RNA sequence: GGGGCGGUAGCUCAGCUGGCUAGAGCGCUGCGUUCACAUCGCAGAAGUCGGGGGUUCAAGUCCCUCCCGCCCCACCA
């Protein structure tokens, strides 16, 4: 595509809609985001948290990816080889669910299609819709290295998954066994502990009588929150220290509704103080009971099908009933039999499937597990050694807690969409070989007989935890892996700290011997105006694409970054996008217009010249110094992941100091009112400072800054600030003299405008100003900028005197930066009004003054506070005192006592 | 049950290691449009920094305690 010449920028309203897509295309055409390993000397790498392939961009993505883009662009401008690797996650359950729902519309199930056809169908879906979110990321400006886009089910990543499975198996860290796992009866699969979300639920505690087998007049009472599981009871337990019930141990009860006999066993687990002191033991449906069962060699009786209906192990009357129907039926039957002693209300936390919200069923099941302790130990050690840093820091504690109490990870899923478990079983029961292999296995390696692959797939996170290196070609020792691993920063939402972040650390250390990243940035949650999480079901989400369309990507990015202070949530109003994103939109418009103004006065020479080689005036020195200060603040903020501070500093500099301050001051000079030399200095300064803040803002607002950068005379669309350089902070460029002079000048302007407003002086009217006893900084400013003052304060005459004119009616103000101003306005000054003003101001000063004096009279303060602090306090007191005295004189002089 | 976070202007929030007269944006009030921008400008009002106690020369900031929200983790049935 041909580079279009840069056109004029005429419109006073910034319209990003044409600019942003064109620029993005230009960047892509230049391959500006691609980094070759061979060229990367100082890589800065971010691996994107791969969004689910089913996902459409929401504000959470908008925020997270803006943050990453800001960091990547910043480091790219700083001269590093910044590489941001993008991609998507196959999201086992979520994606399978989407396609199953689609089938459902045609009245079909995945079983109707069969495994192979179903998986093919999912691939079709992925091929059609899977790129959606990738394209959306481009719209918001993400500078990912798209040539490296990966998918967790790509052949390469699949190979990594297999490699890891085999390695862990060979190391004895992967095992298969029958344990209680969290089962989702809707998704028909096992879940990990992390995938079961616990929510407080108001439930019931049913107290049920189990009669003694040999004495039906006696019974013991057990309490349960899940009465239907009684059908799977195989014992009743009591605490061995519970003396009142000691005689019962070894005897039997008859399980109601079934007639089965259950032994009474003694087990430490039972808390004699809770409930009745007896626990029904259901080893196949409760983790504690499972443990008790193993200790006592109890039968493990699974009473449910995968869909949560009761199976053949339940009495006939209940078979086929859903677990909750069965619960109601059983409770009713117990009541009829007179065995229901009482029902209490009971608050408890119940696990829900993180994908579909169904109540999870703890269920005995044959699954594959990863033993986590050996992986967690080095991951914990690395954190404790300070090699892994969280921002905000507090998440370190959360990480530490999880790592120390981590349980084994159930990795098999009874799904069809995902990485197939690389395990083959020999069909010959006599042989019993289990082959775990990197390559597909066709026949039994031991007996040569037929084999069958494990039907299950792996937890999605079993591929995600390898993301920082599987995306780079591992297990091959590629140049990419060597160059780009470890990555630098990981930015993500706190929700997936355990799912993903913690596991990536473990995998990184285990398989690459090195942490996958050094800094983890956990951003806040995007909420609506009422503070609720944004969610599909509440319909309170905001579509980032709509925001981009309405206000532009830059406006959205600026708004998000400035609203997201480190570690805090941010609120946006989905019903009023205009008010939510106004800040960013207005800022973009301000940038556009101040640039439009500047460009109207600049020539290519101005842009090319270094202002420091010219005869600079005070205002020029001032704004250059302020740019340096802003450079320091912005750089600091970005370096410390305090993005909102960087955003705010840049905003303030551009708006208040550059546009409202400098530009207003130099307008006459730019028009040539003070001669060629002065104009040149102003123009060169204007260009340099503008160039500087365009750079400072580029990571946050890449489009508008690039556009304006290319519009600067002497530049074209061939130019770009993508690769910097980033402005460097040079302490010598600060200029205390110029800064205090201009500050004094701005103080005068404010004070005059204040009085004008107080006395409702017609804005068009030019008035006289008398400056009384101006301090040196102000004198310096007046030498250079008296015209500026005259213009900004809208003055007729400006007079400087040593002593205040006596007896003349007018308005007074004492300046904070020293000196006083006097407006001789006999026609509008009302003596009473003036008196009120003076008295109010005197009051204010007097209380400040006595506070300062109080400190200085305090010997403890003088002795213990650092010298600078005391000195500062002294200066403050002196200045307050002077101002106070001056005001008092005014009051006296006017007979205003 | 364990751990964490938050309570600062009407609203949303900054205020990092204690130290200038506690800030910003929005909103509000008043005034203002030839001359980059009304998606603008100027000026202004508005805060017992959740309550109480303590440490300190000095506390929004550190400690204790209480109150009010929120979040995470947890196998007491």
């Amino acid at each position: 595509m041909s580079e279009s010449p840069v056109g004029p920028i005429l419109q006073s309203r910034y319209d990003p809609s044409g600019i942003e897509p064109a620029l993005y295309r230009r960047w892509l055409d230049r391959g500006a985001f691609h980094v070759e390993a061979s060229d990367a000397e100082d890589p800065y790498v971010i691996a994107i948290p791969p969004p689910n392939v089913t996902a459409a961009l929401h504000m959470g993505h908008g925020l997270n990816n803006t943050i990453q883009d800001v960091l990547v662009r910043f480091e790219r401008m700083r001269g590093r080889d910044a590489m941001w690797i993008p991609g998507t996650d196959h999201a086992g359950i979520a994606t399978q669910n989407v396609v199953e729902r689609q089938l459902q519309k045609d009245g079909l199930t995945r079983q109707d299609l069969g495994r192979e056809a179903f998986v093919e169908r999912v691939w079709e879906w992925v091929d059609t819709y899977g790129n959606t979110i990738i394209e959306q990321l481009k719209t918001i400006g993400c500078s990912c290295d798209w040539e490296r886009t990966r998918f967790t089910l790509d052949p390469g990543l699949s190979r990594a998954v297999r490699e890891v499975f085999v390695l862990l198996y060979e190391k004895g860290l992967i095992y298969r066994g029958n344990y209680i796992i969290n089962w989702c009866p809707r998704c028909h699969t096992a879940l990990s502990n992390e995938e079961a979300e616990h929510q407080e639920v108001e439930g019931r505690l049913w107290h049920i009588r189990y009669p003694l087998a040999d004495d039906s007049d006696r019974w013991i009472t057990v309490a349960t929150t899940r009465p239907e599981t009684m059908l799977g009871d195989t014992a009743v337990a009591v605490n061995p220290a519970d003396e009142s019930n000691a005689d019962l141990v070894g005897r039997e009860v008859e399980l109601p509704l079934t007639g089965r006999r259950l032994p009474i066993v003694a087990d430490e687990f039972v808390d004699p103080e809770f409930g009745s002191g007896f626990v029904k033991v259901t080893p196949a449906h409760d983790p504690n009971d499972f443990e008790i069962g193993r200790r006592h060699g109890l039968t493990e009786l699974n009473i449910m099908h995968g869909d949560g209906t009761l199976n053949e192990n339940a009495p006939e009357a209940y078979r086929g009933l859903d677990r909750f129907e069965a619960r109601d039926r059983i409770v009713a039957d117990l009541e009829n039999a007179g065995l229901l002693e009482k029902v209490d209300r009971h608050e408890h936390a119940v696990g829900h499937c993180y994908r579909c919200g169904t109540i999870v069923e703890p269920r005995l099941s044959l699954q594959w597990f990863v033993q986590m302790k050996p992986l967690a130990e080095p991951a914990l050690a690395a954190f404790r050694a300070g090699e892994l840093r969280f921002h905000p820091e507090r998440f370190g504690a959360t990480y530490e807690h999880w790592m120390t109490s981590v349980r084994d990870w159930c990795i098999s899923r009874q799904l069809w969409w995902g990485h197939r478990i690389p395990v083959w079983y020999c069909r010959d029961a006599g042989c019993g070989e289990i082959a775990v292999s990197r390559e597909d296995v066709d026949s039994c390696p031991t007996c040569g007989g037929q084999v069958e692959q494990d039907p299950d797939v792996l937890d999605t996170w079993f591929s995600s935890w390898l993301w920082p290196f599987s995306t780079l070609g591992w297990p091959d020792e590629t140049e990419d892996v060597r160059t780009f691993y470890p990555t630098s920063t990981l930015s993500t939402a706190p929700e997936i700290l355990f799912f993903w972040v913690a596991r990536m650390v473990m995998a990184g250390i285990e398989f690459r011997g090195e942490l996958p990243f050094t800094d983890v940035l956990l951003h806040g949650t995007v909420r609506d105006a009422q503070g609720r999480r944004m969610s599909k079901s509440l319909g309170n989400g905001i579509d980032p694409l709509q925001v981009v369309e309405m206000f532009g990507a830059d406006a959205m990015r600026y708004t998000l970054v400035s609203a997201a202070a480190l570690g805090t949530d941010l609120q946006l109003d989905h019903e009023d996008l205009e008010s939510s994103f106004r800040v960013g939109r207005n800022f973009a418009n301000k940038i556009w217009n101040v640039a439009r103004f500047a460009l109207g006065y600049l020539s290519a020479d101005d842009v090319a010249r270094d202002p420091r080689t010219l005869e600079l005036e005070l205002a020029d020195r001032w704004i250059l110094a302020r740019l340096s200060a802003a450079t320091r603040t912005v750089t600091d903020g970005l370096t410390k992941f305090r993005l909102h501070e960087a955003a705010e500093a840049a905003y303030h500099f551009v708006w208040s100091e550059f546009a409202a301050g400098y530009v207003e001051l130099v307008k006459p000079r730019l028009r040539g009112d003070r001669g060629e030399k002065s104009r040149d200095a102003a123009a060169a300064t204007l260009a340099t400072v503008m160039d500087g803040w365009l750079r400072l803002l580029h990571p946050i607002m890449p489009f508008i800054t690039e556009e304006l950068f290319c519009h600067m005379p002497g530049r074209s669309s061939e130019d770009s600030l993508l690769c910097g350089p980033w402005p460097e902070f040079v302490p010598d460029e600060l200029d205390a003299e110029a800064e205090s002079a201009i500050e004094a000048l701005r103080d005068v302007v404010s004070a005059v405008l204040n009085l004008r407003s107080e006395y409702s002086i017609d804005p068009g009217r030019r008035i006289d100003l008398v400056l009384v006893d101006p301090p040196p900084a102000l004198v310096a400013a007046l030498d250079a900028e008296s015209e500026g003052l005259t213009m900004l304060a809208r003055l007729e005459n400006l007079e400087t005197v040593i002593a205040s004119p006596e007896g003349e009616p007018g308005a007074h103000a004492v300046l904070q930066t020293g000196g006083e101003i006097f407006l001789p306005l006999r026609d509008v000054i009302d003596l009473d009004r003036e008196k009120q003003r003076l008295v109010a101001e005197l009051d204010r000063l007097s209380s400040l003054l006595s506070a300062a004096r109080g400190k200085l009279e305090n010997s403890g303060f003088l002795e213990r506070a650092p010298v600078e602090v005391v000195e500062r306090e002294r200066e403050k007191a002196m200045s307050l005192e002077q101002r106070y005295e001056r005001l008092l004189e005014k009051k006296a002089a006017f007979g205003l006592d």
Side-chain angles (χ1 to χ4, degrees):
Chain A
M1 137 191 181
S2 67
E3 302 281 347
S4 59
V6 176
I9 46 177
L10 298 171
Q11 291 170 340
S12 67
R13 283 182 174 219
Y14 174 54
D15 176 13
S17 65
I19 290 174
E20 292 182 350
L23 278 175
Y24 200 84
R25 220 173 304 119
R26 197 195 289 170
W27 291 330
L28 284 188
D29 290 345
R30 288 184 195 160
F33 308 146
H34 179 65
V35 182
E36 279 298 328
S38 50
D39 303 335
E41 281 168 19
D42 182 19
Y44 175 84
V45 184
I46 293 186
I48 201 172
N52 286 354
V53 70
T54 54
L57 199 70
H58 56 57
M59 261 311 151
H61 296 125
L63 173 63
N64 190 217
N65 290 291
T66 297
I67 291 171
Q68 292 170 75
D69 197 44
V70 170
L71 296 174
V72 166
R73 285 178 184 271
F74 170 55
E75 296 295 351
R76 189 181 288 124
M77 288 180 75
R78 289 219 286 184
R80 298 184 66 181
D81 302 294
M83 198 277 273
W84 183 11
I85 190 159
T88 48
D89 192 296
H90 69 280
I93 304 181
T95 311
Q96 177 160 324
N97 283 351
V98 166
V99 178
E100 282 194 274
R101 267 199 298 277
Q102 216 180 38
L103 287 177
Q104 211 172 24
K105 282 182 201 150
D106 305 329
L108 293 172
T109 66
R110 68 177 210 249
Q111 284 79 10
D112 292 336
L113 262 69
R115 184 166 190 149
E116 210 170 309
F118 178 77
V119 169
E120 211 165 290
R121 183 79 176 248
V122 183
W123 273 113
E124 276 168 31
W125 191 94
V126 168
D127 291 340
T128 313
Y129 302 105
N131 219 28
T132 306
I133 196 155
I134 295 289
E135 290 309 312
Q136 292 174 327
L137 288 173
K138 296 177 181 172
T139 311
I140 66 171
C142 294
S143 59
C144 300
D145 188 345
W146 300 110
E147 291 175 40
R148 297 178 179 279
T149 305
R150 298 287 184 269
F151 180 49
T152 50
L153 268 180
D154 282 348
L157 279 76
S158 301
R159 202 155 68 85
V161 164
R162 274 210 184 181
E163 178 70 22
V164 160
F165 189 97
V166 173
L167 284 175
L168 289 177
Y169 183 81
E170 286 170 350
K171 218 175 166 178
L173 294 183
I174 280 192
Y175 61 92
R176 190 186 194 215
N178 259 305
Y179 295 93
I180 300 280
I181 44 82
N182 297 295
W183 180 268
C184 176
R186 208 220 55 85
C187 302
H188 283 222
T189 181
L191 301 173
S192 65
N193 296 321
E194 287 68 31
E195 289 170 324
E197 292 182 337
H198 289 270
Q199 290 161 25
E200 281 296 322
V201 169
E202 163 89 31
R204 296 283 151 92
L205 191 58
W206 284 273
H207 297 254
I208 306 169
R209 290 174 177 170
Y210 287 8
L212 286 182
D214 51 7
D215 182 0
S216 58
D217 290 341
R218 279 187 71 191
W219 63 79
I220 60 175
T221 304
V222 298
T224 180
T225 53
R226 295 190 294 150
E228 68 281 9
T229 63
M230 70 178 283
L231 303 179
D233 284 3
T234 53
V236 171
V238 64
N239 190 295
D242 184 349
E243 287 175 17
S244 56
N245 293 314
D247 63 310
L248 293 172
V249 175
R251 293 173 69 177
E252 290 186 325
V253 293
E254 182 181 313
L255 182 63
L257 311 180
T258 69
R260 282 195 355 249
R261 290 184 163 215
L262 311 179
I264 299 175
V265 300
D267 196 281
E268 296 282 353
F269 168 77
V270 182
D271 176 359
E273 306 300 316
F274 186 90
S276 59
F278 291 97
V279 174
K280 62 189 272 305
V281 183
T282 321
H285 289 278
D286 183 280
N288 295 314
D289 295 6
F290 175 78
E291 296 295 330
I292 298 174
R294 288 273 158 118
R295 283 197 284 272
H296 297 273
L298 302 176
T299 310
E300 293 160 355
L301 191 65
N302 189 335
I303 58 162
M304 279 180 213
H305 292 119
D307 63 358
T309 60
L310 299 199
N311 67 17
E312 66 288 352
N313 289 328
E316 206 167 338
Y318 306 107
R319 283 179 203 161
L321 291 180
D322 176 76
R323 53 193 170 145
F324 297 117
E325 271 179 78
R327 176 179 297 178
D328 294 343
R329 186 81 67 85
I330 285 166
V331 168
D333 291 347
L334 288 169
E335 192 158 22
N336 288 335
L339 295 171
L340 189 62
E341 191 169 296
K342 62 170 176 172
V343 185
D344 292 336
R345 289 173 165 273
H346 186 69
E347 283 261 323
H348 62 145
V350 176
H352 292 69
C353 173
Y354 87 132
R355 278 298 163 212
C356 72
T358 303
I359 292 182
V360 154
E361 190 66 30
R363 181 171 182 252
L364 184 67
S365 180
L366 184 60
Q367 303 287 347
W368 287 94
F369 297 85
V370 177
Q371 198 187 320
M372 297 297 266
K373 271 258 142 42
L375 298 177
E377 274 159 17
L380 192 54
F383 168 70
R384 287 183 174 155
E387 294 158 19
L388 180 66
R389 293 178 293 270
F390 290 93
H391 310 271
E393 265 180 75
R394 71 184 127 90
F395 285 106
T398 314
Y399 170 92
E400 188 160 4
H401 178 254
W402 187 81
M403 279 294 178
T404 48
S405 58
V406 66
R407 283 175 292 160
D408 286 356
W409 177 14
C410 174
I411 51 170
S412 43
R413 296 288 177 276
Q414 289 63 52
L415 306 171
W416 287 351
W417 175 243
H419 300 276
R420 197 76 183 263
I421 292 183
V423 174
W424 287 261
Y425 308 102
C426 181
R427 280 199 175 154
D428 179 353
C431 170
E433 169 71 16
I434 295 178
V436 176
S437 168
R438 290 172 178 84
E439 308 300 329
D440 283 2
V441 174
D442 300 327
S443 59
C444 177
T446 306
C447 70
Q450 284 194 318
V451 291
E452 198 165 8
Q453 186 172 6
D454 192 297
D456 291 349
V457 301
L458 289 160
D459 182 2
T460 295
W461 301 99
F462 195 86
S463 54
S464 319
W465 75 327
L466 313 178
W467 187 252
F469 49 87
S470 64
T471 47
L472 297 170
W474 191 90
D476 292 334
E477 191 60 30
T478 59
E479 193 176 5
D480 279 356
V481 182
R482 280 199 307 272
T483 308
F484 298 121
Y485 188 91
T487 70
S488 312
T489 309
L490 177 81
S491 172
T492 193
E495 296 94 276
I496 57 174
L497 188 58
F498 309 134
F499 278 117
W500 193 48
V501 182
R503 288 176 182 153
M504 274 193 289
V505 175
M506 295 190 281
I509 296 175
E510 176 70 18
F511 305 112
R512 289 296 308 167
E514 213 174 344
L515 283 168
F517 30 71
T518 46
D519 292 275
V520 180
L521 182 54
L522 282 324
H523 64 248
T525 305
V526 185
R527 298 177 179 280
D528 72 4
Q530 288 125 66
R532 300 173 304 178
R533 273 188 115 77
M534 290 192 169
S535 75
K536 236 183 235 172
S537 52
L538 282 172
N540 60 350
I542 296 177
D543 177 4
L545 298 188
Q546 192 189 343
V547 176
V548 168
E549 202 180 305
M550 291 169 73
F551 313 113
D554 286 330
M556 184 182 83
R557 293 166 59 115
Y558 179 82
T559 304
L560 290 176
V561 169
S562 68
L566 187 58
T568 67
D569 292 350
L570 61 158
Q571 290 199 338
L572 298 169
D573 188 346
H574 66 286
E575 282 169 347
D576 189 354
L577 296 182
E578 143 91 24
S579 89
S580 295
F581 294 93
R582 186 183 291 148
V583 184
R585 181 202 57 184
N586 291 359
F587 186 38
N589 197 60
K590 171 58 79 173
I591 290 170
W592 183 253
N593 277 294
V594 78
R596 232 158 48 88
F597 168 81
L599 294 179
Y601 288 96
L602 296 180
S603 68
D605 283 347
D606 296 327
V607 174
R609 260 200 289 266
D610 177 357
R612 287 168 216 281
T613 63
L614 304 178
E615 235 173 83
L616 294 183
E617 298 186 15
L618 198 65
D620 308 328
R621 286 165 51 198
W622 169 70
I623 197 65
L624 286 165
R626 297 309 300 153
L627 174 65
S628 288
T631 298
R632 176 172 53 186
T633 314
V634 172
T635 309
D636 259 21
L638 295 178
T639 310
K640 294 178 180 161
F641 304 110
R642 301 177 74 90
L643 272 54
H644 88 279
E645 283 183 9
E648 222 162 71
Y651 180 97
H652 179 258
F653 176 72
V654 172
W655 201 308
S656 305
E657 304 197 284
F658 181 74
Y662 184 70
V663 164
E664 291 307 328
L665 274 178
V666 297
K667 275 177 178 173
R669 291 171 58 198
L670 290 171
R671 285 191 291 258
D673 293 6
R674 284 201 232 155
E676 195 65 15
K677 262 190 172 173
S678 179
R679 194 219 70 92
D680 288 353
T685 304
L686 188 75
T688 294
V689 174
M690 177 171 157
D691 179 275
W693 60 253
L694 284 174
R695 291 172 195 274
L696 293 180
L697 270 173
H698 181 260
I700 299 172
M701 306 176 86
F703 295 106
I704 192 170
T705 49
E706 175 88 327
E707 178 72 9
L708 293 172
F709 182 82
C710 294
H711 270 98
M712 292 180 75
R715 297 200 183 120
S716 74
S717 56
E718 306 281 316
D719 293 296
S720 169
L721 43 67
L722 280 181
C723 295
W726 184 257
E728 200 180 332
F729 169 64
V730 181
D732 284 354
E733 288 175 357
L734 295 177
D735 185 337
E737 196 185 52
E739 291 182 66
S740 57
I742 298 295
E743 193 195 342
L745 187 81
R746 296 182 91 191
D747 192 19
V748 174
V749 173
S750 264
V752 173
L753 294 178
N754 180 350
L755 288 178
R756 295 184 68 123
S757 177
E758 289 260 353
Y759 284 107
S760 305
I761 294 161
D762 178 1
R765 176 173 163 191
R766 301 228 157 223
I767 56 172
D768 294 342
L769 168 64
V770 180
L771 282 170
V772 184
D773 191 18
L778 184 54
V779 173
L782 289 177
D783 281 350
E785 290 297 342
S786 63
E787 291 143 289
L789 174 57
T790 302
M791 180 180 65
L792 295 172
R794 271 157 286 147
L795 304 179
E796 179 71 43
N797 292 301
L798 172 61
E799 190 186 345
T800 307
V801 299
I802 303 298
S804 197
E806 272 191 44
E808 206 181 324
H812 289 272
V814 176
L815 301 168
Q816 197 166 335
T817 46
E820 62 182 89
I821 62 168
F822 172 67
L823 302 181
L825 293 162
R826 45 189 83 236
D827 59 329
V828 290
I829 301 306
D830 165 343
L831 279 190
D832 283 340
R833 181 92 181 264
E834 185 66 4
K835 179 179 177 178
Q836 275 175 22
R837 280 191 50 250
L838 293 177
V839 168
E841 182 65 3
L842 276 168
D843 278 359
R844 203 178 67 89
L845 289 178
S846 134
S847 61
L848 290 174
L849 184 55
S850 56
R853 279 181 179 156
K855 278 193 186 178
L856 290 168
E857 282 158 15
N858 181 339
S859 59
F861 176 71
L862 296 174
E863 284 159 26
R864 304 200 193 190
V867 216
E868 324 75 90
V869 175
V870 175
E871 195 40 46
R872 228 180 298 152
E873 202 60 33
R874 231 177 228 130
E875 279 166 20
K876 183 172 99 186
M878 262 162 59
S879 135
L880 284 168
E881 211 163 334
Q882 278 180 12
R883 290 160 67 193
Y884 187 81
E885 295 297 322
R886 279 179 185 281
L887 266 189
L888 219 52
E889 278 170 31
K890 294 316 108 192
K891 211 176 132 202
F894 281 85
L896 287 171
D897 300 292

